[in-house]
Amino acid sequence: MPKTVISGFTHNFLGNAPVWYKQVILLFLIVNPLIVWLLGPATAGWFLVGEFIFTLAMALKCYPLLPGGLLAVEALLIGLATPEAVYHEVLINLPVILLLMFMVAGIYFMKELLLVTFTQILVGVRSKSALSLLFCAAAALLSAFLDALTVTAVIISVAVGFYSVYHKVASGKGYQHSGHNANSDEHVVELHREDLEEFRAFLRSLLMHGAIGTALGGVATMVGEPQNLLIAKVVGWNFAEFFQRMAPISLPVLGAGLFTCWCLEKLRWFGYGARLPKPVRQVLEDFADNEREKRTKADQAALWVQAIAAVVLVIGLAFHIAEVGLIGLLVIILITSFTGVTDEHQIGKAFQESLPFTSLLVVFFAVVAVIHEQHLFKPVIDFVLAQPEVHQPALFFVANGLLSMISDNVFVATVYISEIKQALDAGVISREHFQDLAVAINTGTNLPSVATPNGQAAFLFLLTSAIAPLVRLSYGRMVIMAFPYTVVLGSVGLLAVINFL
């Protein structure tokens, strides 16, 4: 424990982050003003971008909002950007902020319906290959219309629920037993240990297939990922136009991704292929039947309301009756009104998942303001635009893909779409070519970024969730299991960009 006030400040700074990480962030904060003074604001801007990407890459050490926010505030104080420039970026991207605030919260109230759906898939399909395909396809379909983070959260909830149920039984308890610690195998009966390990491998593969599914579906529509809506707003596409523009790349990639899923399960490569042991299946089926019998008429009515709200959501998005975030707010109002959720604190829980990332997005915009004010990416964009026009979409796809593997795809997309919009406004590129480059940027940030948990918020969410330690899903294991998908999605996406744009 700290013994002085100074040591208390040191202890409190960035909380439980490693000491070396705290020292690195402090070093960044100290040297940035010196770089501005010695080397100029443009060089300092490049250092800031690198430092911010570092905080994104080290997201498991500390949530990037805190160190990234400190860097952004310092950038304003030393004159790399102005508060007015940051506000301008936020104002332009207000639809994206509304999406994160209200759509994620709206889908939170549909979790029961989604849980029932995935539960029925899990206990109703006996073929592991077919089950994996269904999980991947269902996650892709839902992510195309809903939010990838929420879809991932639902899959995690199903996995945690079923793991806890069997872990209780394996520990010699009934699945209604309360107060059980699923993190400890101390009381697991020796007879069940092998089945428990196989069950962990089974859940790991399903979780990864589901996470990949959110990327496959998320690339296809303007609401699939936060950066999609940002790109759609800059280019001026509605829901249908966005889907049509992405289809030449997103549909071949979807087919290739599902085929890869099936092959991995059949060949049992890269940690896939584990089957559900018969004793575990019996326990889960009994549990699902018990939950179904406990469902009251009020619960059934609530599921019907959620299903109707889902239809309203899809229709609202397809016909673009309002901004996406406002449709999310409509979903919140409909479901809460007709399911009896009237307490302020119950409603507040829905916003817990979305607001931290929304805050981080505003920090993104502050860094983007620095990039714009200092014209940092202009040489890079000028170099790409100086290449033959036919090669430019592929170059943007590769550049965005590689950067998204180590950084966050929302940040990368924000930077690049803003830069090519400036090129369009300056008359450097045509409107049609601008749209082709926007497709390349969107697909580049969505597809190769599955390589690491840093690239996509849904993957990072899975890695930091309660299920990851239970099924022994580490950072390294996620990278290994994502590798075949990275190769297939990146290669097929690049070939589609080359041939169809």
Side-chain angles (χ1 to χ4, degrees):
M1 293 295 293
K3 296 182 179 180
T4 66
V5 175
I6 298 298
S7 62
F9 276 115
T10 304
H11 178 267
N12 291 340
F13 179 68
L14 298 184
N16 294 322
V19 173
W20 67 264
Y21 181 87
K22 297 180 181 183
Q23 292 171 343
V24 169
I25 298 301
L26 283 174
L27 178 64
F28 290 163
L29 294 171
I30 292 170
V31 301
N32 284 341
L34 298 177
I35 295 173
V36 171
W37 181 51
L38 295 173
L39 302 176
T43 304
W46 276 113
F47 270 89
L48 177 75
V49 172
E51 292 161 2
F52 186 66
I53 290 176
F54 170 82
T55 67
L56 296 174
M58 294 289 107
L60 294 180
K61 304 300 181 185
C62 180
Y63 191 63
L65 172 64
L66 312 180
L70 289 174
L71 292 170
V73 169
E74 183 184 58
L76 297 180
L77 292 175
I78 60 179
L80 296 182
T82 64
E84 292 75 19
V86 177
Y87 179 72
H88 177 69
E89 293 294 333
V90 171
L91 199 59
I92 292 174
N93 296 291
L94 182 60
V96 182
I97 295 174
L98 290 176
L99 165 71
L100 287 173
M101 287 177 61
F102 295 129
M103 185 61 80
V104 176
I107 306 308
Y108 172 88
F109 293 107
M110 295 172 61
K111 275 189 175 181
E112 289 80 6
L113 177 66
L114 298 174
L115 282 169
V116 169
T117 302
F118 278 103
T119 298
Q120 291 305 311
I121 292 174
L122 185 57
V123 299
V125 180
R126 292 186 174 272
S127 166
K128 177 62 187 309
S129 300
L131 178 62
S132 298
L133 274 175
L134 275 173
F135 248 70
C136 191
L141 178 63
L142 289 169
S143 295
F145 291 97
L146 308 178
D147 173 73
L149 272 178
T150 305
V151 175
T152 304
V154 169
I155 297 174
I156 290 170
S157 298
V158 173
V160 169
F162 279 128
Y163 178 85
S164 300
V165 166
Y166 182 69
H167 198 275
K168 289 176 185 178
V169 174
S171 302
K173 304 169 184 175
Y175 50 69
Q176 289 92 355
H177 183 85
S178 59
H180 177 71
N181 180 17
N183 290 288
S184 174
D185 291 349
E186 181 181 355
H187 301 293
V188 173
V189 179
E190 192 64 35
L191 179 66
H192 292 290
R193 286 189 179 272
E194 187 175 341
D195 287 339
L196 182 61
E197 288 304 317
E198 186 73 5
F199 187 37
R200 281 176 173 144
F202 171 86
L203 287 178
R204 276 199 305 269
S205 61
L206 280 187
L207 287 165
M208 286 302 296
H209 288 316
I212 295 293
T214 63
L216 292 173
V219 69
T221 68
M222 64 185 287
V223 295
E225 293 282 351
Q227 72 268 23
N228 297 17
L229 183 61
L230 187 149
I231 291 170
K233 288 301 172 186
V234 172
V235 182
W237 290 328
N238 61 29
F239 189 89
E241 288 173 324
F242 189 97
F243 177 79
Q244 290 170 359
R245 285 282 181 172
M246 298 302 155
I249 292 90
S250 63
L251 294 183
V253 168
L254 174 61
L258 294 177
F259 180 70
T260 303
C261 172
W262 183 82
C263 288
L264 289 172
E265 287 299 327
K266 289 297 184 183
L267 298 173
R268 303 192 179 194
W269 289 352
F270 296 95
Y272 294 98
R275 271 41 179 177
L276 182 63
K278 288 184 179 179
V280 181
R281 176 177 291 280
Q282 187 59 53
V283 170
L284 299 185
E285 287 177 346
D286 292 344
F287 173 73
D289 290 340
N290 183 68
E291 289 295 299
R292 193 181 304 111
E293 291 171 1
K294 284 166 49 180
R295 199 172 294 139
T296 65
K297 296 297 182 183
D299 294 332
Q300 294 175 15
L303 289 176
W304 275 105
V305 169
Q306 292 173 34
I308 294 170
V311 173
V312 170
L313 173 64
V314 172
I315 293 173
L317 293 174
F319 292 96
H320 196 64
I321 62 174
E323 280 294 342
V324 175
L326 299 182
I327 296 174
L329 181 57
L330 171 64
V331 169
I332 295 174
I333 294 170
L334 289 176
I335 295 179
T336 54
S337 298
F338 290 96
T339 57
V341 180
T342 57
D343 184 76
E344 178 184 358
H345 298 290
Q346 285 180 285
I347 297 172
K349 290 179 181 178
F351 293 90
Q352 290 178 354
E353 292 178 4
S354 61
L355 287 183
F357 190 71
T358 304
S359 303
L360 178 59
L361 192 65
V362 175
V363 175
F364 285 174
F365 296 148
V367 178
V368 171
V370 172
I371 293 171
H372 286 171
E373 294 282 292
Q374 303 303 325
H375 308 289
L376 299 184
F377 274 53
K378 192 175 187 301
V380 179
I381 301 296
D382 289 345
F383 170 78
V384 175
L385 294 180
Q387 306 307 308
E389 190 171 287
V390 69
H391 298 320
Q392 291 175 15
L395 289 172
F396 271 104
F397 180 92
V398 172
N400 281 265
L402 292 175
L403 193 53
S404 293
M405 289 180 186
I406 60 172
S407 181
D408 183 274
N409 53 7
V410 180
F411 172 66
V412 176
T414 303
V415 171
Y416 274 92
I417 195 65
S418 300
E419 291 296 324
I420 66 165
K421 179 62 164 64
Q422 289 186 346
L424 173 68
D425 294 339
V428 177
I429 57 177
S430 67
R431 174 72 185 176
E432 186 61 32
H433 188 55
F434 169 67
Q435 293 181 336
D436 288 342
L437 294 182
V439 173
I441 290 171
N442 184 71
T443 52
T445 53
N446 273 288
L447 299 175
S449 58
V450 302
T452 69
N454 306 104
Q456 298 219 9
F459 279 59
L460 190 61
F461 184 49
L462 172 60
L463 183 63
T464 56
S465 69
I467 192 62
L470 298 180
V471 300
R472 312 299 189 255
L473 186 61
S474 64
Y475 188 101
R477 194 187 291 269
M478 280 191 75
V479 171
I480 293 170
M481 296 182 77
F483 177 75
Y485 280 113
T486 305
V487 173
V488 172
L489 270 57
S491 301
V492 174
L494 179 58
L495 288 173
V497 167
I498 292 172
N499 290 289
F500 300 135
L501 289 185

